[in-house]
Amino acid sequence: MINSVKNKDSTGDYNVKPQAAVSDELTTNVVNLTIPTNYAGSRLDQALAKLVPNWSRSRLQTWIVEKRILVNGQISTAKQLVWGNEHVEIFPLKIAAESPFVAEAIHLNIIEEDETLIIINKPAGLVTHPGNGNWQGTLLNALLHHAPELKNIPRAGIVHRLDKNTTGLLVIAKTLAAQTSLVRQLQQRIVKRDYLALVLGEIKQAGNIDAPIGRHPIHRTKMTITSKGKPARTHYQVIENFEGCTLLQCSLETGRTHQIRVHLNAIGHALVGDPVYGGKPGKTARAIAQILTDFPRQALHAQKLALIHPRTEQINQWETPTPEDINDLLQILRKKK
């Protein structure tokens, strides 16, 4: 079935944190240990991952970079080899993300809900999952308040994400069986996701972008196209051309972090309003350039979602109209044609 839904007014400031917010980082007791001689020839991060398995290797690598791990009193590197009997000091952090998540009364625009799934139309400004300084005021916190039983489901049933300022459809699993089914569908690329994207510059025909995406080697909060990244494929079709920009429908074959934003920027057509990957409007009327520059978020909306319902095993589809802010921008651009 196809469900066409209207945007509902959303209330609440998603950036406001409760006064009793947990600190992001709390220093805990120093850990002292000695490298066993049978670890001789191992990398430091590999040896530590075995000695203190309660912390992940990536966490330990981060602490090494942050100079929170000393070897014989000296700053170390993850690749540094150990030969046994080295004295290691670890100055760990207790991360707020390791604390139990709190249920919060945050408005959710629920499109459909049954005993298996919740379909949500996420507004701009709402972070999907706690992290990177946003430990509260997120979709996960809202879900725990709406359906307390989700505390028994990993990540409160969240199986895919949208960036903070990307709007649109998300599916939430309410049972472990549903979550397993959805994760498999995502891995097998059964879930279909179509986005509306307003990009800078004029695109005349449909195309495909097939380029691996990975973490930027220097700017760690950004993603980039890199041979060391994971395969990523985006298909796009032209919906409407304007002066200085183009409205696209983008379909994801894979679901990498920031995939549409990175891919479109790579072909010279960054999203309008993208604060991380965006560029400047090209040669166009000053008024148009100013309108595009002033748009306050990436003009990206997850418009369509299709999947096999875990309980009925039938294909379900949902579609939301263009959000108000993007729609208003499109109306202005149409008048400028």
Side-chain angles (χ1 to χ4, degrees):
M1 63 180 180
I2 298 179
N3 301 308
S4 181
V5 298
K6 296 182 178 180
N7 289 306
K8 300 177 181 178
D9 290 337
S10 171
T11 58
D13 183 348
Y14 304 107
N15 294 311
V16 174
K17 306 296 187 293
Q19 292 183 352
V22 179
S23 173
D24 286 359
E25 300 178 343
L26 301 172
T27 303
T28 59
N29 294 331
V30 178
V31 175
N32 291 276
L33 52 86
T34 300
I35 301 293
T37 54
N38 61 333
Y39 285 11
S42 299
R43 285 170 44 132
L44 174 62
D45 58 346
Q46 294 173 332
L48 293 178
K50 296 177 183 178
L51 290 172
V52 283
N54 52 312
W55 290 314
S56 69
R57 184 174 169 186
S58 61
R59 172 69 54 79
L60 292 165
Q61 290 171 337
T62 297
W63 287 346
I64 290 171
V65 172
E66 294 175 346
K67 303 177 183 179
R68 289 188 163 274
I69 296 180
L70 304 180
V71 178
N72 293 330
Q74 302 296 315
I75 295 171
S76 56
T77 67
K79 296 180 180 180
Q80 176 178 325
L81 299 183
V82 293
W83 302 104
N85 294 318
E86 292 93 342
H87 175 64
V88 177
E89 296 173 277
I90 304 176
F91 300 83
L93 294 176
K94 181 178 180 181
I95 308 300
E98 295 170 350
S99 303
F101 296 123
V102 178
E104 297 180 58
I106 299 171
H107 172 79
L108 290 175
N109 185 356
I110 296 175
I111 303 310
E112 186 174 321
E113 180 175 8
D114 58 27
E115 68 276 15
T116 306
L117 301 177
I118 306 175
I119 305 299
I120 291 171
N121 188 15
K122 190 188 84 67
L126 180 62
V127 173
T128 304
H129 190 280
N132 295 328
N134 294 290
W135 301 116
Q136 295 176 291
T138 72
L139 173 61
L140 184 146
N141 301 111
L143 289 168
L144 292 176
H145 181 269
H146 172 75
E149 66 271 21
L150 289 175
K151 68 182 180 182
N152 299 315
I153 309 297
R155 297 180 179 272
I158 295 171
V159 294
H160 65 124
R161 303 187 187 192
L162 292 176
D163 297 334
K164 177 180 179 179
N165 285 320
T166 297
T167 56
L169 294 170
L170 280 169
V171 59
I172 307 299
K174 293 182 70 175
T175 67
L176 286 172
Q179 188 174 55
T180 299
S181 172
L182 293 172
V183 169
R184 285 177 179 170
Q185 290 185 54
L186 286 163
Q187 291 173 341
Q188 296 170 6
R189 301 173 186 172
I190 295 172
V191 176
K192 303 300 181 185
R193 290 164 289 171
D194 292 338
Y195 292 71
L196 283 179
L198 185 66
V199 301
L200 296 171
E202 296 186 14
I203 298 177
K204 297 300 183 182
Q205 60 186 13
N208 304 301
I209 306 170
D210 189 343
I213 292 177
R215 187 71 58 182
H216 195 288
I218 299 175
H219 306 291
R220 303 302 291 172
T221 59
K222 297 178 63 175
M223 308 300 289
T224 190
I225 290 177
T226 169
S227 60
K228 298 180 180 180
K230 296 181 179 179
R233 283 175 287 280
T234 303
H235 310 282
Y236 61 87
Q237 295 181 338
V238 176
I239 297 177
E240 189 172 0
N241 286 112
F242 304 96
E243 182 179 345
C245 59
T246 305
L247 183 64
L248 302 177
Q249 176 180 292
C250 297
S251 301
L252 294 182
E253 189 174 323
T254 55
R256 307 305 175 203
T257 300
H258 298 176
Q259 178 172 319
I260 292 175
R261 299 166 68 185
V262 171
H263 270 174
L264 292 174
N265 178 60
I267 64 170
H269 295 284
L271 285 166
V272 169
D274 193 327
V276 177
Y277 304 100
K280 296 181 180 180
K283 294 181 179 179
T284 185
R286 181 178 298 179
I288 296 293
Q290 193 62 52
I291 290 169
L292 299 177
T293 301
D294 289 345
F295 195 71
R297 69 174 179 95
Q298 64 262 16
L300 186 63
H301 174 64
Q303 184 183 39
K304 299 177 183 179
L305 175 68
L307 52 85
I308 299 174
H309 194 287
R311 178 176 56 81
T312 67
E313 297 186 349
Q314 299 296 312
I315 295 177
N316 282 28
Q317 301 181 58
W318 296 268
E319 181 174 351
T320 63
T322 310
E324 185 175 355
D325 59 349
I326 294 180
N327 189 59
D328 289 346
L329 176 58
L330 295 177
Q331 293 302 325
I332 292 172
L333 292 170
R334 289 185 181 115
K335 292 178 181 179
K336 298 291 185 179
K337 281 187 175 183

